Amino acid sequence: MKYMFASDIHGSAWYCRKLLEEYRRSGADRLILLGDILYHGPRNDLPREYAPKEVIGMLNSLKSEILAVRGNCEAEVDQMVLEFPVLADYGILVLNGLTFYATHGHVYHPECLPPMKKGDILIYGHTHLLRAEALGDYYVVNPGSISIPKGGNPPTYGILDEKVFKILDFAGDTVKTLAF
């Protein structure tokens, strides 16, 4: 099966539309959001076309296809308007025989790993910096940010297809690949 991962939409209707276009085009079975869905946060500039109410409508229309974890910008008020769960601090996902510890990254991250077994994959957002690599006995993956990328990176998202994770930009170019 194929899965799409995205993080840090931060209320950008423009980038959310682009993400959902790519989601439909990709044929992914699920969209997994790694937090910071609606609010831009006090440390970030407003993202392009900041319109959280539009983002709510777009994502709620796909509520049966979305899995999400809580970002540091999510609050109970976000759960009141989103029709899919967004307040879990993490999720354990077994996808294509691989075990993912999905979290936003503000609590657990490569410098503060959750309990993981050899071969497990930590997938997180929060830093707005893409990453896909082995770290000792584990893998760490960050699909980057779709709306406010940092470190000179373009807006990116991730696709897991079988046992290969690709980070792509909105031009369709593969920025990074990691085979598990």
Side-chain angles (χ1 to χ4, degrees):
M1 292 182 70
K2 190 184 283 190
Y3 302 89
M4 179 179 274
F5 292 81
S7 190
D8 299 284
I9 297 170
H10 287 292
S12 171
W14 197 84
Y15 282 108
C16 188
R17 268 192 299 281
K18 291 186 75 61
L19 176 70
L20 297 183
E21 288 168 10
E22 292 304 317
Y23 174 68
R24 288 181 194 94
R25 190 180 352 254
S26 75
D29 298 287
R30 292 275 186 165
L31 174 58
I32 301 163
L33 299 177
L34 300 171
D36 286 0
I37 297 168
L38 299 177
Y39 180 53
H40 63 88
R43 294 179 299 170
N44 295 313
D45 292 331
L46 286 174
R48 182 174 182 176
E49 203 177 308
Y50 181 67
K53 288 181 182 177
E54 288 183 48
V55 172
I56 292 165
M58 286 185 269
L59 295 178
N60 280 345
S61 72
L62 293 173
K63 65 184 175 186
S64 64
E65 299 175 43
I66 295 175
L67 302 173
V69 295
R70 178 185 198 144
N72 60 304
C73 290
E74 260 75 63
E76 289 181 22
V77 69
D78 297 276
Q79 188 62 81
M80 293 171 65
V81 296
L82 292 168
E83 298 173 2
F84 52 91
V86 297
L87 294 180
D89 290 326
Y90 66 91
I92 306 297
L93 308 171
V94 180
L95 309 172
N96 302 339
L98 302 167
T99 301
F100 286 81
Y101 190 102
T103 190
H104 181 61
H106 61 294
V107 176
Y108 291 113
H109 46 80
E111 290 75 39
C112 182
L113 290 170
M116 295 172 61
K117 289 177 66 176
K118 183 177 181 176
D120 286 353
I121 303 152
L122 174 70
I123 188 157
Y124 67 104
H126 185 58
T127 64
H128 300 223
L129 297 168
L130 61 91
R131 184 175 185 182
E133 61 191 73
L135 182 67
D137 290 338
Y138 316 105
Y139 296 96
V140 293
V141 179
N142 186 325
S145 171
I146 68 159
S147 68
I148 309 172
K150 295 183 179 172
N153 292 307
T156 53
Y157 60 92
I159 295 280
L160 175 68
D161 192 358
E162 297 302 322
K163 295 192 180 203
V164 176
F165 192 91
K166 290 183 180 181
I167 299 175
L168 299 111
D169 63 20
F170 287 116
D173 296 323
T174 299
V175 178
K176 195 153 181 93
T177 302
L178 179 63
F180 302 107

